[in-house]
Amino acid sequence: MRTDQIFTRLERVFARLDREPERPAHLQVPQMSRHRVVLFGATLVFYLSIVYAVLTTSWIVRLDWQLMFFRPYEQWPQLHAFLDYLVVLGQRGPTSMMVMAWLGWRCWRQHTLRPLITLGVALLALNVTVGSVKLGLGRLGPHYATQIGSAEMFGGGDIFPSGHTANAVVTWGILAYLASTVVTRRVLSLVSAVVALSVGATTVYLGTHWVSDVLLGWAAGVLVLLALPWFEPFIARAEAFILEQRVAWSLRRQGGRGAVPVSVAPLSAQAKVFAQRAAGAALPAAEEPAPVPAGAAAGHVAAARTAAPHAAARPHVIRSERTPVTPAGSRRPAHTDRDRAGRNPSARPVTGG
């Protein structure tokens, strides 16, 4: 019984996703424009410049050591308690859960899985790119430095680039990327930039990262956000695949458990054929559909999302056939001081002696 309740709730959630997205004009997918390509190239050059400057032990390494000996946490100790909480905005676990809750509500309202899938793709790209550079360069942090003036590279560390900073850029920047209006996108871009700058500066204050770590973390996060339009075709195909698998799962559950009601909208012929294939049922040659082009990912989503059926029409009842709202008869209240003839006994003249 408990399993059936879980399945029923899942069906209700996906039944809402079967509908067409609300206000499609507000769901414009960002394109890889020429302006974005130029920004991506400039950020990539900056990224490589920071890596080269650290590897060659240039002026940026000297700046790292100067700020390390300055010890900002000792210069302004009154800020330590507040900044200990502020740096949590860059931790992957808490921030991902907060942003995931918000984007899940967006998915529910807009009848689409794109916000959550985009967040997952962005975090996956961030972990792969930043994690591989961290492990490859192996830089030690300020608290574990062994030689003054050294870049501390290839020592088995994992702080270059700063994961806190890169995660703050991507996690909060994804809200601006998925904004539905231009004004909202600009406001959220400004807010996410302030949060990312604050988190990066906080790690330098606490002495957990070098300045060059933070600069490279900012660049790494911006690169992931700028590259997201290249992943949009994959995101569309992933959404179509999830919805199609859900249809196939519903049909398998119907066949395995008997007449189990499934609250899904009527499917198109293409979606039905795909679901039967996934369930392992053989199709006649006449029902074999035409092959779908590889780029028609949006068609799969439209096939799985169909409008809810209209209610059956009711016969029109004329006015004389309707049930009366008020009881039949006179609406005038009864008078207790009148007799059956309608005369008032007290008003009769007195006769006789």
Side-chain angles (χ1 to χ4, degrees):
M1 214 31 213
R2 192 177 186 85
T3 306
D4 292 339
Q5 292 177 357
I6 295 175
F7 286 153
T8 303
R9 292 178 181 178
L10 288 176
E11 288 294 341
R12 291 176 181 175
V13 172
F14 277 101
R16 186 176 180 87
L17 295 176
D18 283 337
R19 307 177 189 176
E20 290 295 327
E22 291 183 350
R23 289 179 279 184
H26 288 187
L27 298 177
Q28 298 177 357
V29 177
Q31 303 295 326
M32 201 65 184
S33 61
R34 182 177 302 178
H35 177 69
R36 186 181 286 267
V37 172
V38 171
L39 287 178
F40 182 85
T43 307
L44 182 59
V45 171
F46 177 78
Y47 184 96
L48 296 176
S49 301
I50 296 296
V51 174
Y52 177 79
V54 173
L55 288 175
T56 57
T57 318
S58 63
W59 60 271
I60 197 169
V61 177
R62 293 193 297 271
L63 178 62
D64 289 339
W65 280 97
Q66 288 172 0
L67 283 177
M68 184 265 190
F69 286 126
F70 182 70
R71 291 183 175 85
Y73 54 89
E74 292 183 357
Q75 302 295 328
W76 301 286
Q78 64 275 10
L79 300 177
H80 201 288
F82 170 73
L83 295 181
D84 269 340
Y85 290 101
L86 180 64
V87 79
V88 176
L89 295 178
Q91 290 183 359
R92 188 169 294 110
T95 56
S96 298
M97 295 302 296
M98 288 186 288
V99 174
M100 191 179 300
W102 168 255
L103 294 182
W105 181 81
R106 287 274 305 273
C107 290
W108 176 262
R109 288 294 303 272
Q110 296 174 352
H111 310 156
T112 176
L113 290 175
R114 179 175 171 263
L116 284 178
I117 297 176
T118 305
L119 175 63
V121 170
L123 292 180
L124 180 61
L126 176 69
N127 290 334
V128 170
T129 55
V130 173
S132 59
V133 175
K134 278 175 174 287
L135 298 177
L137 297 179
R139 191 181 190 187
L140 296 175
H143 294 311
Y144 302 96
T146 57
Q147 184 177 356
I148 296 177
S150 172
E152 301 294 337
M153 303 292 287
F154 310 108
D158 59 350
I159 67 162
F160 185 68
S162 170
H164 269 71
T165 306
N167 185 71
V169 173
V170 172
T171 305
W172 301 110
I174 201 71
L175 299 180
Y177 178 82
L178 294 172
S180 56
T181 62
V182 177
V183 176
T184 306
R185 182 169 298 172
R186 291 176 180 175
V187 172
L188 291 177
S189 298
L190 179 61
V191 172
S192 61
V194 171
V195 172
L197 291 172
S198 302
V199 169
T202 301
T203 59
V204 176
Y205 168 88
L206 297 175
T208 56
H209 279 287
W210 308 100
V211 176
S212 54
D213 299 342
V214 174
L215 295 177
L216 199 65
W218 283 331
V222 172
L223 284 175
V224 172
L225 290 179
L226 291 175
L228 278 180
W230 281 328
F231 294 94
E232 286 296 340
F234 170 78
I235 294 172
R237 287 194 296 269
E239 182 180 13
F241 177 77
I242 292 174
L243 293 177
E244 289 168 348
Q245 291 299 313
R246 173 256 169 172
V247 172
W249 172 78
S250 298
L251 293 179
R252 285 197 302 268
R253 182 166 173 259
Q254 280 184 315
R257 300 179 63 87
V260 180
V262 180
S263 58
V264 296
L267 302 175
S268 65
Q270 186 70 29
K272 286 182 178 179
V273 170
F274 183 89
Q276 292 175 9
R277 280 179 175 174
L283 292 177
E287 298 183 8
E288 192 68 18
V292 180
H300 292 288
V301 182
R305 294 174 176 163
T306 53
H310 295 284
R314 293 178 296 178
H316 181 71
V317 181
I318 62 177
R319 189 177 186 86
S320 61
E321 297 175 354
R322 297 177 185 174
T323 304
V325 179
T326 57
S330 174
R331 297 183 182 181
R332 180 180 299 176
H335 296 277
T336 57
D337 58 343
R338 294 178 182 270
D339 59 3
R340 293 183 179 180
R343 295 170 297 181
N344 191 348
S346 62
R348 297 178 182 177
V350 180
T351 58

